[in-house]
Amino acid sequence: MTDKELLEKGYFAKELPPPFQTKMFADKLASIKTDWKVITTAIDKAPKPEKEIFKEKFWESKWVVHSIPKVGFSRRLLGIPNPFHQSILAKSIADRWTEIETIFNKSTITNSKPVQDTTGNRALKSIKSFGEFKKECLINSFDKLFEVKTDVSRYYGTIYTHIIPWIIHTKTVAKSKRKDTSLLGNLLDKNLREGNSGQTLGIPIGPDTSLVIAEIIGCTLDEMVQKKFKTAIKGFRYIDDYYIYCENQADAEKVFKFIQSIFTEYQLDINEEKTKISKSPFPFDTDWSIELGTFTFRKHPQSQQTDIERFVSLAFKNAKNNPKDSVLNFAISVLKNIPLFDESWKLYQSLILKIALTEPVTLPVVAQILVSHRPKVEKLKVKSVVENIIKEHTPKGHHFEVAWALWLCKEFEIKLPDNIADLVFNSNEVVSILIALDLRKNGFINSTVSTSQIEADLTTESLMDEKWLLTYEAITQGWVSTPKIKTIKDNEYFDLLHKHKVQFYDKSKTVTPFKLTSPNNFKAKQTTTTDVEYESPKQEKKTGIIATGGGGGY
């Protein structure tokens, strides 16, 4: 694993719309490193006051925060770290990859060990999908009656970075050598804090580097469980989800208490809602996933329309009855794969737009469906839905929903009214504002809509805070009315990025369409609950949000 790979495909979160990419940055990484070395060498020879100013400028940075939905009313916050500090963290992980893999190999129960993603979608992926993990549990727990299920509450957001050296090297060693960055744990702790304005709480959701950190912690905890219970249990873990199988209630309670104790020792909070001990028989799947996953669509135009209507009605009923489950996310993935008759399009289009309006977590899939059927799309219907989404979700700070609604405007060349555009430009949300500036540049937002407040916030200082992406892209893309290139030049690192023509927003990107299947040539395939990840998932680990954009990160 190299830092270039981690930065090319494992940096930005995969939930971002297509234009947000890091390939240009990764491609120029070697040249940027060389030029940066020249700059720092010269600074080393400068007077002490000048060196102190330089050091202070690059001491730490802040993430861009991007709020995305889980399901229902719950949210999670993605982090888009500053490229200066993210490149340092990526190099630390790449340089110590052999040592890190040794830690991964301590666990015999992990199903989420990071391995290279040979599909090219990401730098790293978990060795198994969540569906494969569930299947593994079923296959190997055949001789155990009791199941212990538990996980960590808000795992990535609650990781105390100091526990990384504690867990790798023991507390005694870590505390006695807390400044020794030759120790892997201390190095990672330092890198993470510098990329999060010095804070010790939380690692960013999104980058593949966070998957590595989470698994370092997880595999070390696994080793403790393995040593404690040896062959008395059968254990399986996926990120922070533990499924432990025991012969009797007493053993199950001992396992739970032990896991609870090690969570507490390393300042992790157990998720009480998802913690339970069950005795067989107990169901493996939810009723709604079985009902929707086995639904059959008939191969006749009129019958298909009836079936689509009934399927969506069932999906809405089950979504209402199971508000904590990703029912509509599952449903839209089923609908995406229907070989559609032309006669069904009008109904189908209205219903998928209704799903998007009801549960905007489905917007990436809905966008891909619409792009794949582009010639048939009724733009006025899409316009009405995206305007409603922007009006409802912008005041709530729901970044994901607004960003994807805006991206649909880009895909289908939809012009936004001034009052809707004003909402976005006044939202203070980096990803959405960048897409809106792109729309404005291309005439889909009137040039008379003011961006003066945004421009006032684009300062050299903001290149190291939570607006770094907006500042750099708005200026280098030429989306501000007054030239502000000095803002970039006053930050030596971002000036280097600009000189190497690095962009983090690629205007040419679009949603990738999928190949449509003719209903006349279709061989029916039964959808199963392992084909589509349906369980109310955590961003850190499961594919609850099915993103089709180019934004790349876990």
Side-chain angles (χ1 to χ4, degrees):
M1 181 51 53
T2 67
D3 52 346
K4 181 180 184 295
E5 290 170 321
L6 285 169
L7 293 170
E8 181 179 347
K9 296 185 177 181
Y11 180 177
F12 280 8
K14 65 181 181 293
E15 287 78 12
L16 298 179
F20 295 93
Q21 57 80 40
T22 55
K23 188 177 189 312
M24 293 184 202
F25 177 48
D27 285 346
K28 298 294 179 66
L29 186 63
S31 299
I32 292 165
K33 285 180 182 178
T34 299
D35 291 351
W36 184 248
K37 181 67 175 175
V38 172
I39 291 170
T40 55
T41 300
I43 288 293
D44 286 341
K45 298 174 183 177
K48 186 175 180 180
E50 190 175 333
K51 283 197 283 191
E52 289 299 319
I53 291 170
F54 184 85
K55 184 179 178 182
E56 180 68 24
K57 188 186 299 184
F58 296 102
W59 185 255
E60 56 191 34
S61 61
K62 294 181 181 179
W63 310 328
V64 175
V65 174
H66 187 71
S67 170
I68 69 172
K70 288 163 66 176
V71 68
F73 297 108
S74 57
R75 313 285 303 177
R76 65 170 59 86
L77 300 179
L78 297 183
I80 309 174
N82 192 286
F84 179 77
H85 286 110
Q86 185 64 15
S87 62
I88 294 171
L89 174 61
K91 187 175 188 309
S92 295
I93 287 174
D95 288 348
R96 308 289 285 270
W97 188 248
T98 301
E99 186 177 349
I100 290 169
E101 283 196 306
T102 300
I103 297 171
F104 293 160
N105 292 333
K106 290 178 178 180
S107 172
T108 61
I109 70 176
T110 178
N111 283 249
S112 50
K113 180 174 77 170
V115 294
Q116 188 165 13
D117 185 354
T118 54
T119 68
N121 292 326
R122 302 291 305 168
L124 295 168
K125 66 173 184 177
S126 292
I127 196 167
K128 292 180 182 174
S129 70
F130 188 72
E132 290 169 335
F133 159 69
K134 293 280 293 283
K135 189 181 291 184
E136 188 79 7
C137 292
L138 292 178
I139 291 171
N140 291 294
S141 64
F142 68 95
D143 58 348
K144 305 292 183 186
L145 278 176
F146 288 83
E147 177 188 71
V148 181
K149 286 174 63 174
T150 191
D151 71 4
V152 181
S153 178
R154 300 184 303 110
Y155 186 32
Y156 280 24
T158 59
I159 289 175
Y160 180 53
T161 62
H162 288 339
I163 75 166
I164 301 168
W166 296 355
I167 210 161
I168 296 174
H169 311 293
T170 74
K171 283 186 181 181
T172 303
V173 172
K175 289 183 177 181
S176 65
K177 298 183 177 182
R178 65 183 64 195
K179 293 185 179 180
D180 181 0
T181 53
S182 68
L183 293 178
L184 173 64
N186 286 344
L187 180 63
L188 296 177
D189 180 14
K190 178 177 181 289
N191 291 167
L192 287 163
R193 285 185 284 110
E194 288 172 347
N196 188 23
S197 61
Q199 294 184 44
T200 56
L201 188 64
I203 64 174
I205 298 172
D208 286 5
T209 49
S210 293
L211 175 62
V212 173
I213 301 298
E215 199 65 13
I216 286 172
I217 296 169
C219 287
T220 312
L221 296 178
D222 292 351
E223 186 183 26
M224 297 176 190
V225 174
Q226 291 160 198
K227 285 181 177 178
K228 175 73 174 177
F229 296 99
K230 298 183 173 61
T231 58
I233 62 169
K234 288 185 177 178
F236 307 87
R237 179 183 57 79
Y238 195 90
I239 310 292
D240 66 322
D241 268 344
Y242 279 89
Y243 285 43
I244 307 291
Y245 296 91
C246 309
E247 290 183 358
N248 54 63
Q249 178 83 24
D251 285 349
E253 290 175 0
K254 287 177 186 175
V255 168
F256 169 68
K257 287 177 182 177
F258 181 74
I259 291 175
Q260 187 178 42
S261 71
I262 60 176
F263 279 8
T264 300
E265 182 179 354
Y266 292 103
Q267 302 190 21
L268 300 170
D269 294 327
I270 209 159
N271 188 338
E272 293 184 4
E273 280 190 15
K274 291 190 175 182
T275 297
K276 62 179 178 179
I277 296 174
S278 305
K279 182 182 179 182
S280 186
F282 47 81
F284 309 134
D285 256 334
T286 56
D287 291 344
W288 66 260
S289 64
I290 296 169
E291 184 176 26
L292 296 180
T294 56
F295 193 95
T296 301
F297 296 88
R298 288 171 287 179
K299 294 169 61 177
H300 182 274
Q302 193 60 44
S303 300
Q304 185 182 73
Q305 291 174 55
T306 301
D307 293 339
I308 290 170
E309 182 182 343
R310 288 174 176 172
F311 178 81
V312 174
S313 180
L314 281 173
F316 280 140
K317 180 194 77 172
N318 282 299
K320 186 174 182 179
N321 292 338
N322 301 275
K324 293 184 178 180
D325 289 350
S326 300
V327 178
L328 294 182
N329 213 13
F330 182 94
I332 198 67
S333 298
V334 173
L335 289 168
K336 170 186 169 181
N337 294 311
I338 297 174
L340 205 63
F341 289 101
D342 288 341
E343 297 91 331
S344 301
W345 173 254
K346 190 172 183 179
L347 173 68
Y348 179 86
Q349 176 185 235
S350 291
L351 290 177
I352 65 169
L353 288 173
K354 174 71 79 174
I355 289 172
L357 189 64
T358 305
E359 187 61 87
V361 71
T362 61
L363 274 168
V365 179
V366 170
Q368 191 182 33
I369 293 171
L370 293 173
V371 166
S372 302
H373 292 272
R374 192 183 293 273
K376 296 183 286 187
V377 170
E378 296 172 75
K379 285 173 57 173
L380 285 177
K381 287 187 175 180
V382 178
K383 177 179 170 68
S384 177
V385 169
V386 298
E387 287 183 6
N388 283 337
I389 288 173
I390 294 169
K391 282 191 291 187
E392 179 184 353
H393 292 279
T394 305
K396 297 175 181 177
H398 292 175
H399 306 155
F400 173 93
E401 293 87 333
V402 178
W404 274 97
L406 288 166
W407 190 251
L408 279 172
C409 294
K410 177 75 183 287
E411 290 280 359
F412 291 98
E413 300 184 341
I414 293 169
K415 188 165 185 176
L416 285 175
D418 290 0
N419 64 318
I420 300 290
D422 276 330
L423 279 174
V424 177
F425 285 135
N426 291 323
S427 69
N428 210 34
E429 201 281 296
V430 166
V431 171
S432 298
I433 290 173
L434 280 171
I435 299 173
L437 287 171
D438 185 9
L439 290 170
R440 187 172 181 264
K441 182 71 173 181
N442 287 282
F444 301 117
I445 289 176
N446 287 326
S447 59
T448 52
V449 176
S450 175
T451 58
S452 58
Q453 182 55 51
I454 294 169
E455 295 186 26
D457 292 339
L458 307 182
T459 64
T460 299
E461 291 71 28
S462 68
L463 286 167
M464 300 305 290
D465 70 19
E466 63 272 11
K467 289 190 176 179
W468 73 263
L469 182 59
L470 175 60
T471 302
Y472 181 74
E473 290 298 320
I475 293 172
T476 59
Q477 297 275 6
W479 291 339
V480 292
S481 58
T482 54
K484 297 176 75 76
I485 201 65
K486 188 178 183 301
T487 299
I488 305 294
K489 287 185 177 298
D490 286 345
N491 182 296
E492 292 83 351
Y493 188 76
F494 280 93
D495 188 38
L496 262 187
L497 299 186
H498 182 48
K499 285 177 179 176
H500 285 285
K501 299 182 179 178
V502 171
Q503 300 290 169
F504 297 97
Y505 187 102
D506 185 346
K507 296 173 289 193
S508 68
K509 293 290 187 182
T510 61
V511 170
T512 304
F514 56 85
K515 186 177 179 181
L516 300 178
T517 305
S518 168
N520 299 316
N521 301 326
F522 177 63
K523 185 178 180 181
K525 176 194 173 187
Q526 181 172 308
T527 303
T528 69
T529 51
T530 56
D531 294 328
V532 183
E533 301 288 358
Y534 62 86
E535 192 170 338
S536 178
K538 293 181 179 174
Q539 154 60 20
E540 300 96 86
K541 58 192 179 182
K542 306 167 201 167
T543 53
I545 294 175
I546 305 172
T548 57
Y554 206 151

